[in-house]
Amino acid sequence: MISLAELSQMNIPPEVLAEVQKYATPTGIADYAALAIIAGVSATFMSRGILWDKPDPYYHLNFERPQLKNGGQAGANANKETRNIAQKLEESGKKIVAFWGSQSGTAEGFAHRLAREISVRWGQETMTADLSDYDPVTISEIPSTKMVIFIVSTYGEGDPSDNTAEFWNWITKVGHVSLSNLQYTAFGLGNSNYKFYNQVVDVIVEGLETFGAKALMPVGRANDAEGATEEDFMAWKDSLFAVFKEKLGFQEVEAKYVPTLKVEEDESLEPIDLHHGEPNNQVDSPKGAAQSSPVRTLSITTSRELFTASDRNCLHMDIDLSNQPELTYKTGDHLAVWPTNPDSEVERLLEVLGISSRRDIPLIVKAADPATKITIPTPTSSIALFRCYLEICAPVNRDNVRDLAQFAPTPEAKTYLTQLGQDKDSYAAFTNRNNLNFGRLLQMACPGQTWNIPLSYLVETLPHIRPRYYSISSSSVVSPRKPSITAIASTTPLPDNPNELVHGVTSNYLLAISQHAQSQPHPHGITYHLNGPSDALEGGKVFAHIRRSKFKLPITSKTPLVMVAAGTGLAPFRAFLSERCQVQKIGKEVGQMILFFGCRNPEEDFIYRDELEEMQKTLGDKLRLVTAFSRTEGTPRQYVQDRISELGDEVVSLIDEGASFYICGRAGMAREVEKAVGTTMRRIKGWSEDEVNNWSKAVKKKNKWQEDVWG
């Protein structure tokens, strides 16, 4: 029996305790029962947050700075680092800092390349810096004797990258700050298929100029829509170096590789001490870690082919979260898959570098420069580097072609690489005929020879493997523990050599897993180390994590929907419709929906056709499915934007009723869809161009127009 003294220590509300005291002495069975109930209620109240209503263990991630989420060695160092960039420059003796704001890693790679070249070619001590690692206001403390370079990307609707967000908020909202001592230059990465092409760099430059910063040269811009990002960057870099020489009086010196990292063998380490290829998004991508779960090994339970075409593959894969209870997803989220490189390319690079026999020797990666951050897991091995950590299948840019000449084993190879790297037209013609990755280039430049290239150069130069994101094609309401993804296997022939194919790394990795489960080889004979490091992926598993997305259904199921998709862009709408079907089955009202879907032809690549038709039966007149086929024999080509124009009255009617508008697919398609909607609004409502633009901005601000697009 619990005592009154004990009850008084239980934080029971005073009014309840007073009532208990009135009847402190039980006189019968009813009194004992009442006391038992009160004790149970009290125990339940006290156990809140311990046994029930427990807080989300990952809730704190929403409020942590990205750079404090690195973990491991990098994380430990980050916690000790100053967040004052002026102080960092002074302490490290650097004259120039190249800030980067990057979502996919391209801007980050450019910053590292530029910093290395400035250091070795111009003798100016240069460091790179993640924009999220430093307090924005501290750039005002950088003296005029130093220089700042901004290399920032724009994606989506003019959005800054995750690691640029803090600086973006500061530069756009700060009341006043003096940047009169700051001299800078800036380069932006964007895609003109998006409406707000390179908006991030333009807004940043506008803010810098407002507060008195001095631009050393006009802002540079890359346009990925034309595949010109690399050449745009190199042209801007040449202009920057002209400024170095003509305005700043820097003296150019003979370029010679000076490592910022040390990669050393240490045979005293045991295999258990090494990182064998396991990814860690808290280190490799700290800027996006706050929006993502940790990486886990997830089982692919089922896989099926969606295309009927013999020369193209599109996979539907169901993923099992049952063994990872901390992982959850919501309809519209993304699944990030971490790939490995194909065996043939791994072996090619090991062989041409002459380290095949030392592939498993432990390696330690250290910083030779205190301003350099290490993002490769260490200690590791060469086989793990080439298989899991470095993008060895990526094309080699002209800068790197030229750099490799210093390591050439013969004078002929040196001349070959120098000429190829210097001539833009020769390089373009060469890459149109040849699949030019790192290992292949070394073999072509000097067949049969071994190259003596420091591993530190490869770690510094080659892009690091990053995950590929797939829109989850299942509803978390219908299938909470088994998300699915839809992936088309990418295989692209070279422009001037159709027999030479370039295979997408992750999509073909997934295809190999699917084929292996059916005891079938990859259609192109590509093999991968499917068991993964330490056999962690044996039995059809992948390293993956969940990334939260803003691409969400409206809270109210009665809200009408307009959905536009092409190809695998249908994936999230399969999830949306599945969820609406479930909502209707439990008796809730659902809003009117129209789905525009485009593909080549209905016989080969109309994915999920049977399911869509079944959902159309379930939803009845609530769903209208409108198709557009671009390669149907005997009929004119049609695209989703054409069908939107045809059915403009219906689309505008739904928008007027409060519909949410969604687009998923390539950025070029999204741009054409927006044009078609704008033209329709002008026709029906008699609006001017300005009125359409104002409407467009308003609906996007309210999240009534959402896009999940790429390329």
Side-chain angles (χ1 to χ4, degrees):
M1 178 66 64
I2 193 167
S3 69
L4 286 174
E6 291 171 317
L7 283 173
S8 66
Q9 301 299 317
M10 289 186 175
N11 295 321
I12 297 174
E15 61 271 21
V16 175
L17 190 60
E19 194 67 18
V20 172
Q21 287 175 334
K22 288 182 182 179
Y23 305 99
T25 304
T27 58
I29 294 175
D31 289 341
Y32 281 105
L35 285 175
I37 291 171
I38 291 172
V41 170
S42 301
T44 300
F45 181 85
M46 292 177 64
S47 65
R48 181 181 182 184
I50 301 173
L51 299 178
W52 66 283
D53 194 25
K54 292 188 288 185
D56 180 359
Y58 301 102
Y59 185 67
H60 67 284
L61 298 180
N62 294 321
F63 306 97
E64 291 185 5
R65 292 186 184 276
Q67 70 279 358
L68 299 184
K69 302 176 70 60
N70 288 355
Q73 180 179 349
N77 291 339
N79 290 334
K80 299 176 183 178
E81 291 286 347
T82 177
R83 285 186 54 81
N84 185 314
I85 185 57
Q87 180 182 337
K88 180 67 176 180
L89 288 169
E90 190 64 33
E91 290 175 351
S92 59
K94 304 297 183 184
K95 294 192 66 175
I96 300 173
V97 57
F99 278 119
W100 55 267
S102 185
Q103 196 70 13
S104 65
T106 305
E108 179 183 359
F110 282 164
H112 293 318
R113 276 171 56 188
L114 182 62
R116 283 197 303 272
E117 190 167 356
I118 292 173
S119 296
V120 301
R121 186 172 166 185
W122 295 95
Q124 303 296 316
E125 289 292 328
T126 307
M127 65 173 283
T128 59
D130 180 332
L131 273 167
S132 67
D133 280 347
Y134 297 93
D135 292 324
V137 70
T138 62
I139 71 166
S140 64
E141 301 174 25
I142 297 175
S144 58
T145 54
K146 302 187 186 294
M147 175 183 171
V148 174
I149 301 170
F150 294 94
I151 302 179
V152 293
S153 63
T154 299
Y155 77 103
E157 291 298 311
D159 299 320
S161 61
D162 293 335
N163 76 310
T164 309
E166 184 180 5
F167 183 82
W168 172 270
N169 288 334
W170 177 77
I171 200 71
T172 56
K173 295 177 182 177
V174 65
H176 178 73
V177 65
S178 175
L179 299 179
S180 57
N181 287 330
L182 186 72
Q183 54 178 354
Y184 78 95
T185 185
F187 182 77
L189 288 79
N191 186 315
S192 60
N193 281 330
Y194 293 90
K195 185 174 182 179
F196 300 97
Y197 166 62
N198 261 315
Q199 175 170 281
V200 171
V201 74
D202 290 340
V203 169
I204 287 176
V205 166
E206 181 182 352
L208 294 172
E209 291 181 352
T210 298
F211 300 122
K214 177 185 177 183
L216 295 173
M217 58 184 286
V219 63
R221 297 177 182 84
N223 188 1
D224 196 47
E226 299 174 356
T229 297
E230 185 66 44
E231 290 297 335
D232 288 340
F233 172 71
M234 293 181 68
W236 172 81
K237 178 167 63 70
D238 289 343
S239 298
L240 173 64
F241 290 167
V243 169
F244 282 180
K245 185 175 182 178
E246 298 165 10
K247 283 189 178 181
L248 303 181
F250 294 169
Q251 296 296 313
E252 189 171 3
V253 298
E254 183 181 356
K256 186 178 180 182
Y257 172 60
V258 178
T260 58
L261 295 174
K262 295 179 181 178
V263 181
E264 302 171 345
E265 292 186 352
D266 186 347
E267 297 190 54
S268 67
L269 296 171
E270 298 293 330
I272 196 172
D273 300 321
L274 307 184
H275 296 270
H276 296 282
E278 306 86 351
N280 183 348
N281 62 332
Q282 311 297 301
V283 173
D284 297 337
S285 185
K287 51 193 172 295
Q291 299 300 318
S292 302
S293 74
V295 177
R296 293 290 183 261
T297 55
L298 303 180
S299 297
I300 298 173
T301 55
T302 58
S303 176
R304 57 189 169 94
E305 177 63 58
L306 297 177
F307 284 176
T308 59
S310 59
D311 60 337
R312 300 170 66 216
N313 297 92
C314 185
L315 302 172
H316 171 92
M317 288 183 156
D318 293 311
I319 315 295
D320 190 0
L321 303 182
S322 300
N323 294 326
Q324 306 293 342
E326 79 278 20
L327 293 195
T328 59
Y329 79 98
K330 296 295 183 183
T331 306
D333 284 346
H334 299 129
L335 184 83
V337 177
W338 293 78
T340 63
N341 289 310
D343 294 336
S344 59
E345 297 302 333
V346 173
E347 295 301 325
R348 185 195 310 276
L349 194 49
L350 288 169
E351 181 181 350
V352 76
L353 294 175
I355 57 175
S356 292
S357 61
R358 303 189 67 76
R359 66 180 64 202
D360 296 315
I361 301 297
L363 301 173
I364 295 181
V365 183
K366 301 177 181 178
D369 184 325
T372 300
K373 293 176 66 175
I374 300 172
T375 56
I376 287 285
T378 182
T380 185
S381 63
S382 298
I383 187 66
L385 281 176
F386 296 165
R387 183 181 281 157
C388 303
Y389 293 135
L390 299 178
E391 290 269 16
I392 65 172
C393 295
V396 185
N397 60 68
R398 280 201 298 123
D399 274 348
N400 289 340
V401 171
R402 225 171 24 227
D403 283 350
L404 283 171
Q406 65 186 301
F407 304 113
T410 67
E412 293 78 13
K414 183 173 184 177
T415 301
Y416 176 86
L417 291 172
T418 301
Q419 292 177 346
L420 182 61
Q422 286 179 341
D423 192 314
K424 175 181 176 181
D425 294 334
S426 295
Y427 173 82
F430 187 82
T431 54
N432 282 342
R433 297 191 311 270
N434 299 280
N435 181 4
L436 192 67
N437 62 38
F438 203 87
R440 289 170 182 253
L441 175 62
L442 298 183
Q443 284 185 335
M444 292 176 191
C446 199
Q449 290 284 336
T450 298
W451 291 64
N452 184 20
I453 301 177
L455 282 175
S456 58
Y457 178 84
L458 274 72
V459 174
E460 292 173 9
T461 303
L462 292 175
H464 296 177
I465 280 187
R466 296 181 180 275
R468 273 60 165 182
Y469 293 95
Y470 296 92
S471 298
I472 293 177
S473 53
S474 57
S475 162
S476 57
V477 171
V478 178
S479 183
R481 303 307 299 162
K482 286 194 175 181
S484 63
I485 60 173
T486 310
I488 186 168
S490 170
T491 300
T492 308
L494 292 173
D496 296 336
N497 186 2
N499 295 323
E500 183 73 44
L501 302 176
V502 180
H503 301 284
V505 174
T506 308
S507 60
N508 281 280
Y509 169 64
L510 291 174
L511 179 58
I513 294 173
S514 176
Q515 295 291 99
H516 181 73
Q518 302 170 44
S519 301
Q520 297 290 329
H522 187 284
H524 297 282
I526 307 173
T527 62
Y528 297 82
H529 184 59
L530 297 182
N531 281 354
S534 305
D535 292 332
L537 304 180
E538 188 175 9
K541 297 179 182 178
V542 292
F543 287 121
H545 68 268
I546 305 292
R547 183 177 71 176
R548 292 191 289 275
S549 166
K550 298 178 182 178
F551 198 74
K552 301 294 184 186
L553 277 167
I555 295 175
T556 305
S557 63
K558 292 189 289 186
T559 302
L561 307 178
V562 179
M563 299 164 283
V564 187
T568 54
L570 181 61
F573 301 137
R574 175 183 183 265
F576 283 12
L577 292 176
S578 176
E579 188 155 315
R580 282 281 172 104
C581 286
Q582 185 68 19
V583 167
Q584 180 171 279
K585 286 178 183 177
I586 63 175
K588 288 190 175 182
E589 183 182 351
V590 298
Q592 199 70 35
M593 294 165 283
I594 182 168
L595 169 63
F596 294 91
F597 172 66
C599 62
R600 292 185 180 184
N601 67 70
E603 306 303 325
E604 293 185 357
D605 57 354
F606 191 160
I607 60 175
Y608 300 120
R609 181 174 186 172
D610 293 342
E611 292 184 26
L612 288 174
E613 291 174 351
E614 190 63 33
M615 286 191 280
Q616 197 169 25
K617 290 179 182 177
T618 300
L619 294 166
D621 59 5
K622 291 293 185 179
L623 172 64
R624 180 170 182 181
L625 177 60
V626 181
T627 54
F629 304 116
S630 62
R631 299 190 189 179
T632 302
E633 190 174 349
T635 61
R637 292 192 174 197
Q638 274 195 324
Y639 299 96
V640 285
Q641 58 266 28
D642 301 324
R643 301 308 311 273
I644 287 172
S645 296
E646 289 177 22
L647 300 174
D649 290 350
E650 186 173 344
V651 171
V652 172
S653 176
L654 284 178
I655 290 173
D656 287 343
E657 292 172 17
S660 291
F661 201 106
Y662 299 90
I663 307 174
C664 187
R666 292 198 172 275
M669 177 273 288
R671 181 188 61 185
E672 294 302 319
V673 166
E674 185 167 1
K675 284 182 181 178
V677 173
T679 300
T680 302
M681 295 294 264
R682 286 196 296 273
R683 174 178 62 81
I684 293 177
K685 294 181 175 290
W687 283 354
S688 66
E689 184 72 28
D690 286 342
E691 287 174 313
V692 170
N693 288 335
N694 290 337
W695 167 80
S696 177
K697 290 176 183 177
V699 293
K700 289 174 181 177
K701 189 174 183 179
K702 296 176 184 177
N703 285 327
K704 297 293 287 183
W705 182 294
Q706 298 183 42
E707 297 180 4
D708 187 358
V709 299
W710 58 88

